[in-house]
Amino acid sequence: MTSTDKAPQADEHAGLWLTSAELDSWMSVVRLITRLPWAIDAQLQRDAELSMVEYMSLAMLSEAPDRTLRMSALAEHTSTSLSRLSHMVKRLEARGYVRREPDPADGRFTNAILLPAGFEKLESAAPGHAAHVRRLVVDNLSGERLRRLGQDAERILQRIDSPAR
């Protein structure tokens, strides 16, 4: 096979590979989605003795009616598996921040309920968390760029969540 025989095959796959500019941008996204959660988690661990997913769980419960969510809904809201969430909620229960009980509407499901101590923990952690998010993200972008970043993130999440993956 000659090099000219290989050229059409290389052209066939050219659209599959990232260009140099696309690769540079992609690698920036990879570093961001790897390092930002770590940076936020480290601040929450240091200042509030909560992991990011624990904080997110308390926050989601605080905004839910009666501060109660089905475990399956909480897992979805926090982008974690039900198994991982169950272990984490067990740790939050031991600390007196939440309790679990069967869903009165359908006993096949379990609800997570935010307790007053959990709400107090969330309230004490929130100012430091918000300041850290502001310093890392919000203050580094104009209002328009932040809005566009949120829109772009939602567009990518919709692609991830679409059934035609």
Side-chain angles (χ1 to χ4, degrees), residues 14-33:
L16 298 176
W17 299 105
L18 299 178
T19 66
S20 179
E22 290 169 337
L23 183 59
D24 288 346
S25 293
W26 170 242
M27 292 310 297
S28 291
V29 169
V30 168
R31 287 190 305 275
L32 175 66
I33 62 176

Side-chain angles (χ1 to χ4, degrees), residues 32-45 52 132:
L32 175 66
I33 62 176
T34 303
R35 293 176 64 188
L36 183 61
W38 176 87
I40 291 170
D41 193 72
Q43 177 273 321
L44 284 166
Q45 290 281 1
M52 187 169 77
H132 195 58

